[in-house]
Amino acid sequence: MDSQALLSKQVDAQLHVVMFPWLAFGHMIPFLELAKLIAQSGNHVSFVSTPRNIDRLPKLPPNLAPFITFVKLPLPHVPNLLENAEATADLPNDKVQFLKVAYDLLQQPMTRFLDAADPDWVIHDFAPYWLGPIATKLGISCAFFSIFNASCVGFFTPGDQLEYRSEPDHFTVPPKWVPFQSKVAFRYFEIKKIISEGLSGDASGVSFKYRLTESIEGCDLLAVRSCFELEPEWLRLLEQLNRKPVIPVGQLAPELDDRGDYGKDETWQQIKEWLDKLARGSVVYVAFGSEAKPNQTEITEIALGLEQSELPFFWVLKMSLDPSDTEMVKLPEGFEERTKGRGVVCTSWAPQLKILSHDSIGGFLSHSGWSSVVEALSLERPLILLTFFADQGLNASFLQEKKMGYLIPRNEGDGSFTREAVAQSLRLVMVEEGGKIYRDKAKEMSSLFRDRDKQKQYMDNFVSYLKAYRRIKNKGVAAS
């Protein structure tokens, strides 16, 4: 077979893709969803993470298990990193910096694995800023996959213009490179809380903005968890700013029957029995993700706000974040007795997607994590938003701008909020006429977020691009 015929055959050959997410479940789960969609068309995926994280990931559907291989790279021990801590969920926020130190020490074992595996592509997160040059040296194509939507990435790029924003106030307005009208920005208390640890250096010696900038600079293409129907102007801007292909891969909404909560049906049955007794659309579901933990003052105001709202509620409450977290929170005295029968406080694991899918759920009080947003909107659940850290503020401002979520009013300086604000926000979005716009928007967006045909089109386009790029690259090699 001559070289041209061989190259033609390679166009349709299945890909081998390596995926390397940051060590946070809010990152690993979307990476796994993308891996499953890539594998559905017969491509092979090597999913790389640490042993304990891989053991905690959802089980694969039987039809995809042959196409996805989990690769365990032991996490190096570093000073100040808690024993057995392999994900951000295992740590208080101030210790995550030491997880980054350990993660950066995966550079050598990751290099050895890539050299031996010789994949067509490595798809990576923002954190391994060092991976692009390694992949280039090994002749492997490199894609940066942003689990953040395009508006969030666009807010922080291009890297060479970031320096003009040196004060918190600079992040409370859209950046100067955004040519269209937008309200996407942090509130003062949000950026003030994260700027010292998120945008400047930490124990790893590398800032968030440097990791993001270098990860984008070192890749061959930028894949974004987004779609043209939701934010076309931001996707176009990303391509203009970064001068490389930007490909949306869809919202990656999980399948309703593929939720990774196998073996825990007894827990769900107990929850379902309680939800079955309540009226359609009457219950507010409350959860703030695996890493956000409201402080005691915030817990008190949320609880008393739920009580004042007089709405039924199901609240998944983390009493502590991890074994080292000694600051246990508590509910207001008499709260559970006063709300008995109307509300449930769950302090253990709960199957979020199953709960959201129940007909009695009428709204979701959320931290604005994008995975939770996707789950809620795919199931027509309107959002009431209470942010805590990281990208949540940008997500919330985007959602509010699009009338896809309602932000609980807060003090702009310190982020404090009242029980009255919680109660009024819940009633507005859940039952009052003034909140109908949010309920209607959730129904409108559900048709987009759960559209499997549309999701397949985005994935077919993405995989086709990966294969076409391989062909062009191989032609170049053959010609030389």
Side-chain angles (χ1 to χ4, degrees), residues 6-151:
L6 178 62
L7 287 170
S8 178
K9 186 175 182 180
Q10 285 177 336
V11 176
D12 296 320
Q14 301 307 329
L15 294 164
H16 177 198
V17 175
V18 170
M19 306 200 73
F20 188 47
W22 165 234
L23 305 179
F25 283 96
H27 291 243
M28 288 182 277
I29 297 301
F31 265 75
L32 185 59
E33 290 298 325
L34 181 61
K36 290 191 287 188
L37 290 170
I38 292 172
Q40 278 183 358
S41 52
N43 302 293
H44 180 67
V45 177
S46 295
F47 192 98
V48 182
S49 191
T50 63
R52 188 162 179 254
N53 287 333
I54 286 176
D55 290 343
R56 290 182 287 180
L57 287 172
K59 288 181 171 37
L60 293 172
N63 65 309
L64 295 181
F67 300 99
I68 299 178
T69 301
F70 289 109
V71 179
K72 297 179 178 181
L73 296 184
L75 190 67
H77 175 74
V78 299
N80 300 309
L81 184 62
L82 301 175
E83 188 177 358
N84 295 322
E86 296 186 10
T88 56
D90 302 325
L91 296 161
N93 290 336
D94 64 341
K95 298 294 185 183
V96 170
Q97 58 183 315
F98 304 113
L99 188 64
K100 292 179 182 177
V101 175
Y103 185 81
D104 288 341
L105 291 176
L106 291 174
Q107 181 171 339
Q108 288 189 357
M110 187 64 180
T111 302
R112 289 193 294 269
F113 169 72
L114 290 174
D115 191 23
D118 191 26
D120 299 298
W121 284 88
V122 55
I123 301 177
H124 63 87
D125 214 326
F126 81 96
Y129 65 96
W130 36 263
L131 191 54
I134 291 171
T136 299
K137 186 176 181 180
L138 294 174
I140 300 168
S141 300
C142 196
F144 168 53
F145 171 44
S146 170
I147 64 137
F148 311 111
N149 59 15
S151 64

Side-chain angles (χ1 to χ4, degrees), residues 5 11 22 61 65 78 93-94 109 136 153 165 186 190 204 211 235 356 373 376 404-405 416 421 476 478:
V11 176
W22 165 234
V78 299
N93 290 336
D94 64 341
T136 299
V153 182
R165 294 190 291 181
F186 286 105
E190 291 168 336
S204 72
R211 289 180 188 273
L235 286 164
L356 284 171
V373 168
M404 294 161 59
S416 60

Side-chain angles (χ1 to χ4, degrees), residues 351-371:
Q352 177 163 293
L353 194 60
K354 284 185 175 179
I355 293 171
L356 284 171
S357 69
H358 196 279
D359 287 342
S360 69
I361 302 298
F364 183 10
L365 175 52
S366 168
H367 60 308
S368 308
W370 200 251
S371 290

Side-chain angles (χ1 to χ4, degrees), residues 276-332:
D276 285 345
K277 300 173 184 176
L278 297 160
R280 182 184 182 91
S282 66
V283 180
V284 57
Y285 173 61
V286 185
F288 303 117
S290 60
E291 297 172 43
K293 176 191 167 187
N295 62 36
Q296 183 59 63
T297 300
E298 292 167 338
I299 290 291
T300 299
E301 295 305 311
I302 293 168
L304 296 179
L306 285 167
E307 184 177 350
Q308 283 189 18
S309 75
E310 299 183 347
L311 294 168
F313 63 87
F314 190 96
W315 185 2
V316 180
L317 173 61
K318 283 183 172 292
M319 305 303 284
S320 64
L321 279 179
D322 58 84
S324 70
D325 186 0
T326 57
E327 297 181 7
M328 297 285 288
V329 294
K330 60 182 180 180
L331 293 165

